[in-house]
Amino acid sequence: MKTFLVTGGAGFIGSNFIHYMFGKYGEDIRIINVDKLTYAGNLENLKDVEELPNYTFVKADICDKEAIRKIFAENDIDRVIHFAAESHVDRSIVEPELFVKTNVLGTANMINCAKEAWENPDGTFKEGKRFLHVSTDEVYGSLPEDGGYFYETTPYAPHSPYSASKASSDMLVKAYMDTYHFPANITNCSNNYGPYQFPEKLIPLMINNALAGKKLPVYGDGKNVRDWLYVEDHCKAIDMVQEKGKLFETYNVGGHNEKQNIEIVRTIIDVLREELSDDDPRKEHVTYDLITYVEDRKGHDRRYAIAPDKIRADLGWEPDTMFREGIRKTIDWYFRHMDWMEHITSGSYEKYYEDMYSAKLS
Ligand code: NAD
Ligand code: TYD
């Protein structure tokens, strides 16, 4: 039975990954989820697994050496899937140092504790141990509107404090692989969407605002392009890389699904209108009239687009969920989990929303 240490498992992708892994492997794996429970971590995301005998939650900070060492000392960890991070570009523009602390120093601590636990006295590593560092396509910078893709060989050129901190953490993992032959892989994935995404990111924010009849704040001219992947397809890719990826390799993950932000917002409105019944009072205000162009994000990257050729060719990974279907599934999920959204958007979210958007939307 393999034991997985998942960091940041109470966040968006981490909680989807834990569901995916229990759905696929059931009682054949054990998962320890270590999460600090920042604003982005929510144990409600894991309600259906919390009673499982092969699941354990540990509340700890990935920067806390003693806490992470203790987990390795008390458990024979086979795999680390490292999601924990500060993940929102807008927040990184306001509070960059937190991103350096969590994303760079936290990753340094994670790889160091794993190395300590897994290294043999002769400098080799115990059989079968692997560390998967989950990263982003944003480390590659911005592409021109008229073409080009991010390959694993594309030089790093991050622009935001978020992407710079993720790039730094990738570099550290690469340095450990090169220097110590530390058994790791890196995945660089495009923008994810799906259930349990915190409503400060584009798609859930637009769904939530549209249903509440609030303006839909589109940055700049709305023509920035992101390459969207349904979160379950990312989880599948991570599982394939940790199972059969070649050690020390980086894999880019994306489904060739480039969309301008404005297209995303219009699609959300279209699908919401299809899903809302005619007698639902919200149908009246869910229209394109809610779309409001606001001041652009500072340093806003124009276009991201992943070339997933390597993960397709080497591991046979393909996305299963096409965009329109994925958006429909996501909207259905939010409809069925309005209580989840209400819990999340009460309290500190209101302050965040006020700080971030009140000047922009006034
Ligand atoms: P998220 O913000 O939803 O979740 C992050 C989780 O990490 C939260 O549960 C939070 O409590 C936890 N965390 C934060 N700081 C911590 C700390 N110091 N110690 C322990 N736990 C801490 O993020 P997400 O969207 O699920 O992203 C997960 C990972 O995937 C990140 O590393 C991110 O860079 C990467 N990624 C995200 C996307 C995307 O579109 N969301 C795309 C590619 C890569
Ligand atoms: P986001 O979900 O924050 O992801 P990232 O910045 O990591 O790509 O934003 C996705 C795109 O949507 C990005 O180009 C910024 C834009 N955006 C808006 O136009 N309005 C918003 O309110 C938000 C949150 C994002």
Side-chain angles (χ1 to χ4, degrees):
M1 191 197 238
K2 280 193 199 108
T3 298
F4 286 75
L5 177 58
V6 172
T7 73
F12 163 48
I13 308 177
S15 58
N16 275 284
F17 180 74
I18 291 173
H19 285 120
Y20 179 87
M21 293 298 277
F22 279 134
K24 180 163 176 192
Y25 298 103
E27 291 170 4
D28 296 339
I29 56 167
R30 198 159 81 89
I31 295 182
I32 301 168
N33 171 18
V34 56
D35 198 299
K36 185 182 172 184
L37 299 182
T38 67
Y39 78 94
N42 182 359
L43 288 180
E44 226 180 306
N45 300 0
L46 294 158
K47 261 209 313 247
D48 7 341
V49 304
E50 67 189 8
E51 299 295 332
L52 295 178
N54 49 342
Y55 170 76
T56 310
F57 173 68
V58 180
K59 183 171 188 294
D61 187 332
I62 53 164
C63 300
D64 181 341
K65 194 174 285 244
E66 290 320 308
I68 303 300
R69 264 193 183 145
K70 187 162 179 273
I71 297 172
F72 277 99
E74 290 176 355
N75 301 278
D76 184 15
I77 306 289
D78 299 295
R79 300 287 154 89
V80 176
I81 313 292
H82 177 40
F83 293 100
E86 287 293 334
S87 70
H88 191 193
V89 175
D90 288 330
R91 285 183 186 256
S92 83
I93 294 166
V94 179
E95 207 182 349
E97 284 178 2
L98 175 63
F99 284 67
V100 175
K101 182 165 186 286
T102 300
N103 299 358
V104 186
L105 300 182
T107 299
N109 189 44
M110 286 306 305
I111 51 180
N112 219 36
C113 290
K115 177 176 173 288
E116 236 173 50
W118 292 345
E119 200 171 23
N120 294 314
D122 66 358
T124 60
F125 284 86
K126 291 180 188 158
E127 201 61 35
K129 307 294 186 190
R130 297 178 83 128
F131 189 104
L132 197 152
H133 176 62
V134 180
S135 192
T136 162
D137 59 355
E138 302 190 26
V139 298
Y140 297 119
S142 184
L143 289 164
E145 262 167 5
D146 57 353
Y149 291 100
F150 296 139
Y151 291 89
E152 287 80 359
T153 49
T154 302
Y156 277 26
H159 295 131
S160 72
Y162 164 65
S163 54
S165 67
K166 290 298 290 188
S168 309
S169 64
D170 292 13
M171 293 297 185
L172 271 176
V173 176
K174 284 177 204 271
Y176 268 55
M177 293 194 276
D178 291 346
T179 309
Y180 310 110
H181 297 287
F182 178 66
N185 288 100
I186 299 173
T187 52
N188 293 91
C189 188
S190 61
N191 284 60
N192 285 213
Y193 69 99
Y196 302 110
Q197 189 167 28
F198 193 81
E200 65 178 13
K201 302 285 173 76
L202 179 73
I203 290 179
L205 186 135
M206 296 299 165
I207 296 173
N208 189 38
N209 279 19
L211 287 173
K214 289 191 191 158
K215 290 178 180 170
L216 307 179
V218 174
Y219 297 166
D221 64 3
K223 292 186 178 160
N224 297 65
V225 171
R226 299 292 183 264
D227 183 359
W228 294 94
L229 185 71
Y230 192 61
V231 62
E232 213 173 272
D233 284 321
H234 186 190
C235 296
K236 183 172 91 166
I238 290 171
D239 178 41
M240 286 174 104
V241 170
Q242 64 85 22
E243 270 295 309
K244 33 183 207 168
K246 210 166 140 210
L247 269 183
F248 314 120
E249 294 287 324
T250 288
Y251 294 92
N252 280 358
V253 186
H256 276 308
N257 181 48
E258 290 177 51
K259 303 265 181 239
Q260 290 185 339
N261 293 335
I262 189 65
E263 281 180 80
I264 299 283
V265 176
R266 289 201 184 110
T267 306
I268 288 170
I269 293 171
D270 295 344
V271 175
L272 279 174
R273 288 190 62 79
E274 285 162 25
E275 298 285 309
L276 287 165
S277 62
D278 285 338
D279 57 0
D280 192 314
R282 292 173 296 183
K283 196 158 188 172
E284 210 167 298
H285 62 239
V286 177
T287 69
Y288 289 177
D289 291 343
L290 291 177
I291 295 173
T292 309
Y293 288 91
V294 300
E295 181 195 337
D296 207 355
R297 172 187 279 173
K298 288 188 175 75
H300 198 175
D301 285 338
R302 194 61 176 167
R303 174 171 166 257
Y304 302 144
I306 280 280
D309 307 20
K310 177 171 164 181
I311 192 166
R312 278 195 172 140
D314 294 4
L315 306 184
W317 175 85
E318 288 282 348
D320 292 323
T321 303
M322 293 303 103
F323 186 66
R324 189 86 181 184
E325 181 201 346
I327 279 288
R328 195 174 293 282
K329 274 161 79 167
T330 304
I331 285 175
D332 282 347
W333 186 88
Y334 282 97
F335 269 137
R336 282 184 285 107
H337 293 82
M338 289 310 283
D339 52 337
W340 179 92
M341 187 65 105
E342 272 155 31
H343 297 165
I344 260 190
T345 51
S346 59
S348 60
Y349 179 81
E350 281 165 23
K351 179 165 177 355
Y352 165 83
Y353 192 83
E354 183 69 17
D355 289 350
M356 222 34 128
Y357 292 99
S358 64
K360 283 192 172 105
L361 286 169
S362 61

